[in-house]
Amino acid sequence: MNYKNINEVIMLLEQFEKDNAISNSYPKDTEGFKMWICDRQNHKSGTVFDEPYWEGKENGRSAESAISTLLIHINRYARTYSKSAISDSEFTTQEDFIYLINLKAFGAMTKMELIKKNIHNKPVGMLIITRLLRQGWIEQTESEVDKRKKIIHISVKGIQALEEQMKNIRQATEIVTGNLTYREKMELIRVLNKLDRFHHPIFSRNIDSKDLIKTVYQEYSFKN
């Protein structure tokens, strides 16, 4: 048995855990470790890639600015298709059916767990939950662990409302991914998951808006 190789792997794992504790860029499992190794090797070898064009690049516009704008645009396109998908239904907004989809997929949970899963603040999330309760699409019961908390789950009526619109909703999600190939979709999921793993812990801390940028800049490094 080559103990030198084993020691090197252990040292790499330790470095992976240290780096990932700071950046939170990779899943904390074997797949994350493999992605970290791959990115590390590409960085060392100076792998050449074709840098894409973005609007304003010739005038000095940064890649970060282009990414932020494109993410906003894609979100607006997605909302437009979602609005069309529920235009002939009792759903008021896309958040209504997204909340129901989460309850159906992940099961009963507390109100705050559902709100956090959808990356909403409490006032906005409570309005959506109140609307769903009024429609009879969700039901709530007292938590057996903490009587102060309410556990909500999707009702039979909610499942029916969701199923009636699922065809349109699936078509809308297919349109959003446009003309991407399967490989491009998988790569996009990987990149967006990486971004989500970075931002979600920050969002969960509920840092005051006036302190948010300063706090994040002080705690994280953005140098590649």
Side-chain angles (χ1 to χ4, degrees):
M1 184 177 291
N2 192 328
Y3 291 101
K4 181 180 178 182
N5 287 343
I6 294 174
N7 287 333
E8 287 180 355
V9 171
I10 292 173
M11 290 175 67
L12 281 171
L13 280 168
E14 289 177 347
Q15 189 61 49
F16 164 66
E17 290 180 355
K18 288 178 181 178
D19 290 353
N20 207 34
I22 297 172
S23 67
N24 200 34
S25 298
Y26 304 91
K28 298 175 182 178
D29 55 19
T30 306
E31 288 303 313
F33 180 59
K34 289 191 290 186
M35 285 189 284
W36 178 79
I37 289 287
C38 182
D39 288 345
R40 179 185 171 97
Q41 188 59 39
N42 287 339
H43 181 73
K44 281 184 177 180
S45 62
T47 302
V48 178
F49 64 94
D50 293 327
E51 187 174 275
Y53 171 79
W54 58 83
E55 188 176 15
K57 183 179 181 180
E58 68 278 9
N59 297 320
R61 187 187 186 196
S62 69
E64 291 79 8
S65 173
I67 290 169
S68 295
T69 299
L70 288 170
L71 287 173
I72 291 170
H73 287 179
I74 296 301
N75 178 57
R76 288 174 180 167
Y77 300 146
R79 283 181 173 275
T80 301
Y81 292 121
S82 294
K83 186 177 179 180
S84 176
I86 62 174
S87 59
D88 294 325
S89 73
E90 295 181 73
F91 287 107
T92 304
T93 67
Q94 68 171 359
E95 280 78 15
D96 291 354
F97 68 77
I98 291 175
Y99 270 52
L100 292 183
I101 287 174
N102 278 322
L103 285 173
K104 184 179 180 183
F106 300 106
M109 62 186 81
T110 66
K111 292 180 179 180
M112 284 310 301
E113 285 172 340
L114 181 59
I115 291 170
K116 288 180 180 179
K117 185 170 285 292
N118 288 280
I119 318 300
H120 279 139
N121 56 40
K122 185 175 180 179
V124 172
M126 291 303 292
L127 284 174
I128 296 168
I129 290 172
T130 299
R131 188 161 61 240
L132 295 177
L133 283 168
R134 189 164 55 244
Q135 289 281 8
W137 291 338
I138 61 174
E139 297 171 345
Q140 63 180 359
T141 56
E142 284 188 351
S143 169
E144 294 181 0
V145 178
D146 186 345
K147 299 299 182 182
R148 295 170 298 177
K149 295 181 179 180
K150 299 290 185 181
I151 303 295
I152 55 177
H153 63 272
I154 188 169
S155 66
V156 173
K157 186 178 178 181
I159 292 174
Q160 291 173 343
L162 197 57
E163 289 177 347
E164 287 173 1
Q165 296 303 124
M166 279 310 298
K167 180 181 178 180
N168 289 341
I169 292 169
R170 289 193 184 99
Q171 289 177 341
T173 58
E174 288 175 8
I175 293 172
V176 169
T177 56
N179 57 350
L180 295 180
T181 65
Y182 177 80
R183 189 180 187 88
E184 288 170 334
K185 291 175 185 177
M186 297 303 103
E187 179 61 16
L188 182 58
I189 290 172
R190 186 187 73 81
V191 172
L192 292 177
N193 272 334
K194 184 175 180 179
L195 264 180
D196 185 66
R197 284 192 295 272
F198 174 83
H199 289 292
H200 190 266
I202 298 171
F203 175 84
S204 299
R205 291 165 61 185
N206 295 313
I207 302 170
D208 192 280
S209 293
K210 65 181 178 64
D211 301 319
L212 180 59
I213 292 177
K214 180 180 178 181
T215 300
V216 175
Y217 248 89
Q218 287 177 340
E219 295 182 3
Y220 294 86
S221 172
F222 293 95
K223 294 181 181 180
N224 296 319

